[in-house]
Amino acid sequence: METKVFQRIYTQLTGITKATVSLRAQGVANEELAMVHGRLAQVVKIMGDIITLQVFSGTEGIPTNAEVVFFGEPPMLKVGDDLAGRFFDAYGHPMFGDSEIEGEPREIGGPSVNPLRRKQPSELIATGIAGIDLNNTLVTGQKIPFFADPDQPFNQVMAMVALRAQADKIILGGMGLSNDDFLFFKNVFENAGALDRIISFVNTTEQPPVERLLVPDMALTAAEYFAVEKKEKVLVLLTDMTLYADALSIVSNRMDQIPSKDSMPGSLYSDLAKIYEKAVQFPDGGSITIIAVTTLSGGDITHAIPDNTGYITEGQLFLRTDSDTGKVIVDPFRSLSRLKQLVIGKKTREDHPQVMNAAVRLYADAASAKTKLENGFDLTEYDERALKFAHDYSEKLLAIDINIEVDAMLNTAWQLLAKYFSKTEVAIKSELVEKYWPAN
Amino acid sequence: MKTQGKVTGIISNLVVVEVDGPVAQNEICYINLAGTKLMAEVIKVIGKLAYVQVFESTRGLRVGTPVEFQGHMLEVTLGPGLLSKNYDGLQHDLAKMKGIFLQRGDYTDALDFDSEWDFTPLVEPGTQVIAADWLGEVPENWVKHKIMVPFTFTDKYTVKSIVPAGKYKVSDTIAVLVDTKGEEFKVTMYQKWPVKKAIIAYKEKPRPSKILETGVRVIDTLNPIAEGGTGFIPGPFGCGKTVLQHALAKQANADMIIMAACGERANEVVEIFAEFPHLDDPRTGRKLMERTTIICNTSNMPVAAREASVYTAMTIGEYYRSMGLKVLLLADSTSRWAQALREMSNRLEELPGPDAFPMDLSAVIANFYARAGFVHLNNGSNGSVTFIGTVSPAGGNLKEPVTESTKKAARCFYALSQQRADSKRYPAIDPMDSYSKYLEYPEIQEFLNKNISENWVELVMKVKNTIQQGREASEQINILGDDGVPLDYHDRYWKAEIIDFVILQQDAFDVIDCNTPLARQRYMLEKVMQICNTNFHFDGFEQCSSYYKRMINTLKQMNYSEFQSEEFYNYEKELDTILNERRVQ
Ligand SMILES: Nc1ncnc2c1ncn2[C@@H]1O[C@H](COP(=O)(O)OP(=O)(O)O)[C@@H](O)[C@H]1O
Ligand SMILES: [Mg+2]
């Protein structure tokens, strides 16, 4: 932040906690930024002339006579075409000692789009991954997280999706990203020759956790600039939102707020919704699509973070390793794209919805057969076929290393259905069966 | 003189204001932030300090900012032009707002004060009237919108004058009334009413005695909701709460639909904006949007306005009920409103109840649900507000305060099951856990038997029984294995599966299957129950399951066909052929 003439300077703190400092000051605005002992802080509470500031990097070593300088404005990001191809920290400062960018300062965490000015999303995002395109089709303007245990290759899948998505800009918001993962993203984007389309805001594990709280707002402010002003298709990648939520709980605990479920703040739903709801399709072509990562612990989706996320996002993509084939798959039961019905059978072939449902239903039959097997019961002839189908389905369609077009996915699905089942067992509308049932 | 104040404290959207005069609990005030007025509501008063919840972001607010109190509670404006509008939670017209983004303090009028309406008087000078009596009417879309004696008028009045038929603006005086003391009052076509107060200007609220047809089989057939009744839909995310509510909004047999999108996704409201103007109302053939009003406070809109949004919706519902209309009010999701209460209660440092929700949560919810109902109006007509809310239980666990409080207040319980949703058995309403208390009302039973078929209620009980038997059989098969149980168990299991696939499951995205009128529900239920009452001969359980799968397949094709079309009857014939193959004579 640059120094400005009207800055007010104070040197007497009246209180210090792990995350906040308080002091007497006048004329301070809610949510305005300040520098406390050289660290960035934000006003979170005002009572009379007592101001409470949240210090992003923590209060360790701050003395009571620390210098406090108020900036008179909330957190800002300079936006402009200059953003493209650059790496920034959580405060929006260029990394690697780069020079500051040229641009117009914008408040981050700005207002919401009037719902009447949105357009209903209708543009398919093809990823080549059948577990996504066939079963959980994505659409521009959608917000969807990967739910994955920490050992799943979610960042790799996300990078792959991002590069295939044909977005005008890809904005990476990294929160608590390990340095290795950060370098992974950097390399993948570089190798793909896509760096000029990429903008990154990164808080790594080496930096203070509370700083992460600024990352999504920074990324989305940049996204809004390109989507609104440049009418571009912007894809925002947020990883890992669980670490973001952890930072929220650190702050609220230190501020003595009453925690609700899983020691998360009672406002977790609203806090996450404010971020995810920035996903939008504008009528004039610009859009913001958000793909996030929410890491789970032990696959538990009832924990407050995935639970609140699921209530907010438009579905979730659940990654797991299939013991049958040893491949990482997009789990068809627990994954969902809520916007798929806007495109499947409309932007894709007419048989898409029914083929998708039939295959998932038969895959479920295989799952029950497997349970039977595990409980020591005999399998019927149908069960045997279902299990074989499941194996092929997992290998040829669900695995994340698949990269084919949607029509090819549908053809593969018909092949598998016909190979293992009769027409009545498949139970698809007869007119579609007539048309697409493979001849051989 | 309006009470004035100055901001002395700010914690997020809770603001402390020192006042120079009287203030009332729930009074509205405006904080004047450099010319932008931020609306707020008093939620606590201690001495000269009023604690207000601001319906906007408080970014940039400073101590010392002037505040002006308005002398009234949060009100809605009621009059012609409410239908088809899209409002925010405080009834500001979203269409009139400037720009792509919602700007703080851009408070737009709820009604179009410039438009003219075709007014026809319904009373003559000299008529005696009281609050809510109809003075005249104007056509609004296809509704005859009644212009009423304002609900705030507590005396008895005589009509002194009324304007002749003609075109008037909502703010024009259309009648002059005289009270018992001889004082005159001018009445326009609009009035205001505080949202937290129920409109009770009706004669009586009897027990509901009819059902509200929704076209959703698992509701109408198994657990019908009454006209003027209450129900709620709890379910984990992704189980189909919103799809079900949208289906109700599209198909329910109501004159007017009010949808309160409370703290959920903006894209779901956009879906309504995009689709409803083009979809036909199955009953009137008019566009769905013509009977719909949307109150929209999505999850990224100000949290404090979430609570207001459901009250705004209810008040508009009560207003139309007073015109003798059948209103269906849908709120998705009432949990977000409860969470908003929780956020504020925590900021006020109130003693928390279970899961940190406020102690009076149950009472707040019960009071709200109590505003629904079927009423006899003073003039002998009837009106109703049917209310169905969704609940989003944390972690999908129904033992949480919002679900439990709502269960005490609502009479229909439509529990969505994760298991059913996972296996794509939509709508995922669990047929056994769910209930409708109305099904036990003698007057409702009589209505069903009279209007659907003679022994309908008995038949429905048999259906439930068959499902229950199927469940028990399925459990035994799971424990003992396919071979370990008598064939009869498989037969019972599959009979329940037929009911599940053909009656319970319904594809909300299929143009035909999505909406099943009662006559068709009866036809299909009788068909299915006829199969359930038939004995078949099987040589083994595999034969049994493939046979039932064939029947299910054909019955589903019937569901996908136009009712009683040639195609429909062809599938029915096919079914009869299948039936005859293994029927035991
Ligand atoms: N009746 C139905 N028919 C077909 N699909 C459904 C039905 N109900 C729900 N779904 C599927 O489930 C998804 C989630 O439903 P939704 O109503 O948004 O869930 P919730 O509001 O409970 O989170 C939908 O996007 C759709 O794919
Ligand atoms: Mg929903």
Side-chain angles (χ1 to χ4, degrees):
Chain A
M1 292 283 158
E2 307 142 53
T3 342
K4 293 194 179 144
V5 265
F6 51 81
Q7 279 175 344
R8 291 147 287 142
I9 300 177
Y10 298 83
T11 52
Q12 180 64 62
L13 299 183
T14 58
I16 307 176
T17 71
K18 276 184 180 168
T20 63
V21 298
S22 329
L23 70 157
R24 287 183 193 282
Q26 249 107 49
V28 174
N30 192 27
E31 297 184 18
E32 104 172 53
L33 286 183
M35 197 62 93
V36 178
H37 199 59
R39 302 178 201 176
L40 203 63
Q42 186 173 20
V43 175
V44 288
K45 181 173 169 181
I46 303 176
M47 266 305 146
D49 59 357
I50 304 281
I51 312 294
T52 306
L53 290 148
Q54 167 182 308
V55 183
F56 288 106
S57 56
T59 54
E60 293 84 356
I62 293 184
T64 48
N65 62 348
E67 188 183 75
V68 180
V69 186
F70 287 95
F71 292 151
E73 58 185 29
M76 300 272 191
L77 172 72
K78 275 196 190 150
V79 295
D81 294 347
D82 231 18
L83 284 167
R86 315 256 312 235
F87 289 86
F88 301 90
D89 66 12
Y91 304 110
H93 298 308
M95 289 165 84
F96 315 120
D98 275 8
S99 56
E100 285 287 338
I101 71 152
E102 295 292 315
E104 187 196 326
R106 289 277 163 86
E107 279 186 24
I108 67 164
S112 309
V113 174
N114 182 340
L116 264 187
R117 308 282 182 262
R118 287 171 176 256
K119 182 177 173 261
Q120 188 171 34
S122 63
E123 201 176 323
L124 181 138
I125 298 178
T127 70
I129 300 172
I132 298 178
D133 296 2
L134 180 64
N135 289 341
N136 301 289
T137 326
L138 302 185
V139 184
T140 57
Q142 183 165 11
K143 47 195 175 286
I144 193 164
F146 281 101
F147 279 180
D149 279 333
D151 59 343
Q152 295 293 343
F154 47 83
N155 282 335
Q156 284 79 342
V157 180
M158 196 159 79
M160 197 152 78
V161 168
L163 288 173
R164 291 184 195 161
Q166 296 181 325
D168 297 321
K169 289 283 177 307
I170 299 169
I171 303 184
L172 173 68
M175 289 154 281
L177 210 55
S178 73
N179 200 50
D180 295 356
D181 281 343
F182 172 50
L183 294 175
F184 161 77
F185 275 112
K186 199 162 168 274
N187 285 339
V188 173
F189 293 152
E190 243 161 20
N191 293 342
L195 263 191
D196 57 328
R197 294 193 283 138
I198 315 257
I199 303 157
S200 304
F201 296 88
V202 177
N203 154 274
T204 63
T205 37
E206 286 149 35
Q207 290 154 341
V210 179
E211 286 182 8
R212 282 171 212 161
L213 296 179
L214 292 166
V215 169
D217 284 346
M218 287 285 169
L220 290 160
T221 303
E224 276 179 348
Y225 168 74
F226 288 105
V228 175
E229 256 126 288
K230 305 283 160 183
K231 308 188 188 349
E232 291 188 349
K233 281 202 277 181
V234 184
L235 180 63
V236 177
L237 312 176
L238 299 175
T239 177
D240 166 356
M241 288 299 284
T242 298
L243 297 178
Y244 172 86
D246 285 343
L248 281 178
S249 81
I250 293 175
V251 171
S252 82
N253 288 350
R254 286 178 186 171
M255 289 179 64
D256 295 327
Q257 283 165 7
I258 308 162
S260 62
K261 204 169 163 270
D262 299 320
S263 7
M264 284 292 144
S267 59
L268 181 64
Y269 177 85
S270 307
D271 296 335
L272 293 176
K274 252 198 108 202
I275 295 171
Y276 284 117
E277 280 293 335
K278 290 275 179 190
V280 59
Q281 174 71 57
F282 290 111
D284 61 13
S287 65
I288 299 175
T289 308
I290 301 179
I291 299 183
V293 168
T294 301
T295 46
L296 308 176
S297 75
D300 179 15
I301 59 161
T302 63
H303 183 281
I305 300 172
D307 185 47
N308 279 283
T309 305
Y311 276 116
I312 294 163
T313 53
E314 282 144 351
Q316 63 278 336
L317 299 167
F318 210 103
L319 292 183
R320 74 169 167 88
T321 309
D322 178 31
S323 53
D324 220 23
T325 55
K327 294 202 165 196
V328 176
I329 62 165
V330 181
D331 188 320
F333 301 140
R334 307 174 81 184
S335 304
L336 168 72
S337 162
R338 291 165 184 266
L339 301 187
K340 63 172 183 263
Q341 43 266 0
L342 298 173
V343 289
I344 60 172
K346 295 174 186 159
K347 298 283 160 95
T348 63
R349 225 163 67 186
E350 54 174 346
D351 53 327
H352 189 158
Q354 295 236 344
V355 171
M356 167 189 84
N357 284 331
V360 174
R361 185 166 39 78
L362 296 165
Y363 190 67
D365 285 351
S368 348
K370 215 166 171 190
T371 316
K372 267 200 213 168
L373 200 62
E374 281 157 9
N375 294 343
F377 295 127
D378 293 342
L379 294 185
T380 65
E381 180 265 340
Y382 177 83
D383 292 335
E384 304 276 4
R385 284 188 281 132
L387 283 177
K388 282 190 200 132
F389 165 77
H391 184 275
D392 281 11
Y393 180 57
S394 167
E395 192 171 67
K396 298 208 163 76
L397 287 170
L398 297 181
I400 51 156
D401 54 12
I402 303 291
N403 184 10
I404 50 176
E405 308 251 306
V406 178
D407 278 6
M409 295 171 192
L410 289 169
N411 295 340
T412 309
W414 280 110
Q415 294 288 349
L416 296 181
L417 294 175
K419 185 165 170 197
Y420 295 108
F421 300 104
S422 70
K423 290 179 185 175
T424 26
E425 282 166 338
V426 168
I428 288 176
K429 253 191 201 174
S430 33
E431 54 194 82
L432 295 175
V433 174
E434 299 305 319
K435 197 159 161 190
Y436 294 104
W437 194 264
N440 46 339
Chain B
M1 249 305 275
K2 285 179 173 171
T3 298
Q4 307 289 324
K6 277 194 173 2
V7 171
T8 65
I10 307 156
I11 314 164
S12 188
N13 74 326
L14 175 67
V15 168
V16 189
V17 182
E18 192 177 308
V19 295
D20 71 354
V23 287
Q25 175 72 343
N26 296 111
E27 183 169 345
I28 291 297
C29 63
Y30 288 101
I31 301 172
N32 191 337
L33 174 59
T36 302
K37 289 192 168 176
L38 310 183
M39 193 174 179
E41 178 186 19
V42 177
I43 50 174
K44 179 167 111 175
V45 183
I46 302 176
K48 281 188 125 11
L49 297 182
Y51 290 71
V52 305
Q53 60 170 345
V54 186
F55 296 119
E56 304 281 1
S57 152
T58 53
R59 180 180 277 184
L61 189 60
R62 286 165 215 269
V63 163
T65 307
V67 182
E68 186 178 78
F69 290 79
Q70 301 301 307
H72 62 76
M73 297 197 287
L74 180 64
E75 295 174 329
V76 288
T77 307
L78 303 167
L82 288 165
L83 263 183
S84 313
K85 281 268 189 336
N86 303 309
Y87 293 119
D88 74 2
L90 305 170
Q91 209 205 6
H92 301 119
D93 187 349
L94 289 169
K96 293 186 189 121
M97 295 181 187
K98 293 185 279 286
I100 291 178
F101 294 96
L102 296 167
Q103 298 301 337
R104 289 192 288 192
D106 187 4
Y107 300 140
T108 53
D109 284 335
L111 298 179
D112 306 330
F113 285 93
D114 294 330
S115 345
E116 293 193 321
W117 297 86
D118 254 317
F119 177 81
T120 311
L122 293 174
V123 293
E124 319 230 293
T127 313
Q128 301 288 313
V129 292
I130 56 171
D133 280 353
W134 303 346
L135 298 173
E137 63 187 22
V138 302
E140 177 188 20
N141 295 349
W142 57 289
V143 166
K144 285 202 168 109
H145 189 117
K146 305 291 187 278
I147 308 300
M148 293 174 265
V149 177
F151 304 134
T152 48
F153 281 32
T154 48
D155 202 356
K156 289 196 170 95
Y157 303 83
T158 311
V159 177
K160 182 168 178 240
S161 65
I162 181 138
V163 294
K167 286 192 182 301
Y168 300 91
K169 290 182 180 171
V170 283
S171 53
D172 290 341
T173 298
I174 52 100
V176 177
L177 308 183
V178 185
D179 72 2
T180 48
K181 292 187 220 73
E183 201 181 333
E184 287 187 7
F185 298 89
K186 287 180 178 163
V187 175
T188 64
M189 289 208 269
Y190 79 98
Q191 56 171 317
K192 295 196 171 192
W193 184 260
V195 295
K196 291 271 175 77
K197 277 173 108 175
I199 296 173
I200 48 166
Y202 48 76
K203 194 156 69 203
E204 62 170 328
K205 197 190 254 187
R207 265 163 60 115
S209 58
K210 298 187 226 178
I211 74 156
L212 182 83
E213 188 180 333
T214 67
V216 178
R217 295 188 287 260
V218 59
I219 294 183
D220 293 352
T221 295
L222 264 80
N223 290 306
I225 186 150
E227 185 191 327
T230 52
F232 81 116
I233 309 169
F237 63 81
C239 286
K241 297 180 293 296
T242 305
V243 170
L244 185 56
Q245 281 228 334
H246 285 198
L248 296 173
K250 286 174 191 163
Q251 297 152 201
N253 179 18
D255 299 319
M256 185 199 185
I257 309 284
I258 304 174
M259 303 185 77
C262 176
E264 296 277 311
R265 305 176 184 87
N267 275 338
E268 291 171 349
V269 192
V270 175
E271 188 179 321
I272 303 173
F273 294 156
E275 291 180 358
F276 277 34
H278 307 291
L279 289 176
D280 292 329
D281 176 346
R283 281 174 193 80
T284 60
R286 288 167 170 272
K287 296 298 170 213
L288 276 178
M289 203 58 214
E290 291 186 52
R291 66 164 194 180
T292 310
T293 294
I294 296 165
I295 314 293
C296 166
N297 180 259
T298 56
S299 59
N300 53 344
M301 289 164 81
V303 176
R306 274 188 216 158
E307 188 200 8
S309 71
V310 291
Y311 286 97
T312 298
M314 180 58 90
T315 311
I316 295 175
E318 290 170 328
Y319 175 65
Y320 278 88
R321 173 171 71 185
S322 309
M323 299 176 203
L325 295 175
K326 233 191 281 183
V327 179
L328 173 62
L329 176 59
L330 300 165
D332 187 14
S333 141
T334 58
S335 292
R336 306 301 164 218
W337 153 39
Q339 284 177 340
L341 294 178
R342 173 169 72 183
E343 280 185 34
M344 197 38 80
S345 156
N346 292 356
R347 265 176 220 134
L348 286 169
E349 294 174 4
E350 288 174 353
L351 197 64
D355 286 1
F357 281 106
M359 288 296 228
D360 60 350
L361 182 70
S362 272
V364 171
I365 291 176
N367 270 331
F368 185 81
Y369 274 78
R371 289 174 69 168
F374 181 89
V375 301
H376 295 313
L377 303 176
N378 293 323
N379 65 7
S381 328
N382 302 319
S384 63
V385 172
T386 308
F387 177 63
I388 303 177
T390 65
V391 169
S392 318
N397 176 5
L398 298 191
K399 294 227 167 322
E400 57 90 45
V402 186
T403 313
E404 288 185 331
S405 305
T406 311
K407 209 165 177 179
K408 285 182 225 153
R411 311 242 82 198
C412 291
F413 173 62
Y414 300 115
L416 299 186
S417 121
Q418 181 80 59
Q419 215 188 336
R420 286 185 68 81
D422 283 349
S423 52
K424 314 279 178 218
R425 294 183 177 219
Y426 292 117
I429 298 178
D430 186 304
M432 302 316 288
D433 291 353
S434 305
Y435 59 76
S436 161
K437 292 270 185 214
Y438 299 113
L439 210 48
E440 296 160 15
Y441 287 23
E443 47 275 62
I444 294 275
Q445 294 184 346
E446 201 180 309
F447 176 88
L448 292 168
N449 290 339
K450 198 167 140 220
N451 287 279
I452 305 181
S453 73
E454 221 174 305
N455 296 314
W456 181 255
V457 178
E458 205 184 314
L459 185 67
V460 170
M461 293 308 156
K462 276 197 197 128
V463 172
K464 292 193 175 187
N465 202 18
T466 311
I467 298 172
Q468 182 57 34
Q469 287 179 344
R471 265 199 194 182
E472 286 161 11
S474 148
E475 276 161 23
Q476 290 301 310
I477 297 171
N478 281 338
I479 298 169
L480 301 169
D482 287 329
D483 289 323
V485 295
L487 197 50
D488 184 36
Y489 279 54
H490 287 276
D491 187 63
R492 247 183 277 158
Y493 166 70
W494 279 104
K495 283 185 163 143
E497 284 290 275
I498 289 203
I499 296 176
D500 197 330
F501 275 94
V502 181
I503 306 295
L504 307 185
Q505 292 175 43
Q506 190 170 1
D507 187 347
F509 303 114
D510 183 87
V511 276
I512 293 171
D513 195 33
C514 68
N515 183 15
T516 313
L518 277 179
R520 183 170 183 162
Q521 292 192 32
R522 172 189 167 180
Y523 191 91
M524 291 309 288
L525 191 73
E526 286 175 353
K527 191 102 230 154
V528 163
M529 286 314 281
Q530 196 190 325
I531 299 175
C532 289
N533 290 330
T534 308
N535 291 325
F536 299 104
H537 170 79
F538 299 115
D539 292 330
F541 67 85
E542 288 191 52
Q543 199 181 53
C544 171
S545 65
S546 64
Y547 182 68
Y548 275 104
K549 277 184 195 168
R550 272 171 69 206
M551 282 199 277
I552 288 173
N553 189 21
T554 312
L555 281 158
K556 281 189 78 163
Q557 304 292 346
M558 283 174 79
N559 274 348
Y560 283 127
S561 314
E562 197 81 59
F563 187 41
Q564 295 175 334
S565 64
E566 200 185 318
E567 198 191 0
F568 181 87
Y569 286 123
N570 283 342
Y571 284 120
E572 191 171 25
K573 262 192 225 123
E574 193 180 307
L575 180 74
D576 289 340
T577 319
I578 301 176
L579 275 174
N580 288 332
E581 282 174 25
R582 309 212 150 261
R583 190 201 300 264
V584 178
Q585 296 304 333

